[in-house]
Each structure stands twice: as structure tokens, then as C-alpha cells.
Amino acid sequence: MKLYSRRSRTRWTARMFSTRNLTADLVQLADVPACLSTAGLDGSQYLAANDGYLRLIERVWPEIQHKDLLAAGSALSSAQRVRRQWMLETNGYYDAEPAEVRSATGRIIAVEISSQRVWCSGVACDLEYFMPLPPAKPLASASGFSDKASRKAFFTPRFSGSLKAMSVLNRPILIGRILSLAAEGAVLARQLAQQPDTSETLTAITERLSAYQVANRASPTRIGFDFSDLEYEQLEELLLQVAGDIWLLIVACDDRDIVEMLRCLVAKYTMPRPVVVNW
């Protein structure tokens, strides 16, 4: 049995009982999206984030851990952010300030932030709490699912196995991001399609997703999608429906460029059912 000296036990206890660890625990206990980062207008880094914050920005923790908020996280450089940082520097806090954060798929999300400047183990840090504001959706009452059942695809065995091994938090984040990319890809393919039949099919696919379209202020020429209101089972169902319709189009379309583009959207994680494609 390995014995530890009193000094090593004291050091271990000090690390566990540090102000940084205790503040990080506050972040995890918050019932709203929250994060802790080192202070500063430039070069600030994530120290902790709770599940609500990760869902808000569609990230998993290893993607942003100790990463810069501007370069790799959700923060946007703006006059609003400069003002909020000034209030932290002069007052030490601010409450319910309007702001915008960026999701992993590039969507800009309107929020209110309340923040407190704190000292964590000798380092100036910012403790931030977020209140997402509801996005304007053009067809908010629509279900997003077609009245007629789609020909669903199914996940490849490897991808399905990976999903089962993921945490309950990370699964919907991953599926939501994939669905957003597939939806945006279908919109782009519709814009590029030359053949009327192909364009009509892609229009039908994107119309099914119109209930989830939101303004993408990060890129005004690009259509964004927000699937955050859906439960995981709904996300998976909608993704497999969209992928199934795309696989059908891949088989029927004569435009090789569009086919290759659509294949890149779905082939990495889904495959058509045998009734869709006869090899």
C-alpha cells in the first residue's frame, strides 16, 4: 500500500480546494449557460463551461478547453464586447448586457450576458452567465417534417457505434451540427443546380427545413439553421429523412458535380437502404 506524506496530502488538498476549482464548480452548478475564462479583451482562454453553454454554442469541451475565446470559441469581436470588458475593468461586473455569440456552425446567437470579474488562484478571470434570446423563425408553427414519410437513410455501422459511445450531452451537439451542415449544403446545391428536376427536388428538401431557417448575420448571403429546440430523437429522425432524400437524388441526378457535392454531405455518416440503391 502506497503511503503519502503529510506534505503531499496538503498539496493535493490545496489543489482541490483552490479558488479556481471552486469557481469552476459554480459554473457546473449553474442552471443557465455559463463559462469561466481568464480576463482580458485579447487572449482570454476558457477554464470551465457547463453543459448549457456547450449546447448553446454547439461545441464539446475538448474543442474549446484552454482555447482563445475569439480565435476558437464563441466570442465575437465587436464594440459591444469592448464595452462589456470596460465595465468589468472599471466596475467589476455587469448585468443583462445584450451580446452575440457564434455557434460551431457559424450561426450568430443573440443573448444577454451577466458577468463578474473574479480572482481565481491569483489570476483575474471572468465568470459569465448567458440568457439566449429566441431567434426569429419565419415558419415557427411548422413541424419541419414532411406530411409524406421520407425514404430514410441509416447511419453507417461505424458512425452508429461512435454515437452510442458518446455522452448524452455530446450526441445531440454532434447530430445538430451535422444536420446544419447538410441543410446548408442542400441550399447551396439548389442554388447551383442547372437541371429543373434536380432543383425542384432540392427545393422540396429545403422547404421541409424552412421552419428552422434563421438569419445568419455572420454571412448575410448564407442561410443559417437553428435546430436547438428539437429533442435528440427528433434531430436524428430529421437528419435521416434529409439524408434519405439526398441519397435518392444522388441516384437520379445526371449532374456529376451536384452528385459529388451531395455525396460529400451524407456519405461520411449515412448509407442508403437497399431499396434506395441497387448496387
Side-chain angles (χ1 to χ4, degrees), residues 11 21 36 46 55 68 72 86 89-90 105 121 134 143 160 186 200 213 232 245 248 264:
R11 288 175 180 169
N21 286 334
L36 177 70
Y46 285 104
R55 282 192 294 267
D68 184 87
W86 176 81
E89 293 287 345
T90 56
T105 54
S121 303
S143 68
S160 181
E200 288 177 10
Q213 286 184 15
Y232 175 73
D245 285 345
L248 278 173
C264 288

Side-chain angles (χ1 to χ4, degrees), residues 65 69 77 81 90 102-103 117 132 134-135 138 148 152 158 215 238 252:
Q65 184 178 14
L69 270 68
S77 180
R81 185 168 188 268
T90 56
R102 179 182 56 236
S103 74
R117 177 65 53 85
K148 185 171 67 176
K152 289 170 56 177
R158 182 174 180 178
L238 185 54

Side-chain angles (χ1 to χ4, degrees), residues 139 146 183 185-193 195-211 213 223 225 242 245-246 249 258 262:
L139 297 175
S146 60
V187 171
L188 178 59
R190 180 190 63 184
Q191 294 170 349
L192 298 176
Q195 299 175 355
D197 291 347
T198 300
S199 180
E200 288 177 10
T201 302
L202 286 166
T203 297
I205 294 173
T206 55
E207 282 181 350
R208 183 187 311 129
L209 302 170
S210 61
Q213 286 184 15
I223 294 177
F225 291 88
V242 170
D245 285 345
I246 289 176
L249 185 55
I258 295 295
L262 295 175

Side-chain angles (χ1 to χ4, degrees), residues 74 121 199 214 219 266 271:
S74 67
S121 303
S199 180
V214 292
S219 178
V266 296
M271 53 196 302

Side-chain angles (χ1 to χ4, degrees), residues 177-196:
R177 284 168 63 172
I178 291 175
L179 182 52
S180 293
L181 291 173
E184 291 176 18
V187 171
L188 178 59
R190 180 190 63 184
Q191 294 170 349
L192 298 176
Q194 300 294 322
Q195 299 175 355

Side-chain angles (χ1 to χ4, degrees), residues 241-262:
Q241 285 184 359
V242 170
D245 285 345
I246 289 176
W247 276 114
L248 278 173
L249 185 55
I250 286 173
V251 176
C253 182
D254 294 327
D255 187 330
R256 293 298 94 191
D257 290 336
I258 295 295
V259 165
E260 185 59 29
M261 180 180 180
L262 295 175

Side-chain angles (χ1 to χ4, degrees), residues 23-24 26-27 34-37 88 113-118 125-129:
T23 309
L26 285 177
V27 169
C35 73
L36 177 70
S37 62
L88 288 172
I113 308 178
S114 295
S115 183
Q116 179 81 41
R117 177 65 53 85
V118 296
C125 298
D126 293 331
L127 180 61
E128 295 180 297
Y129 297 95

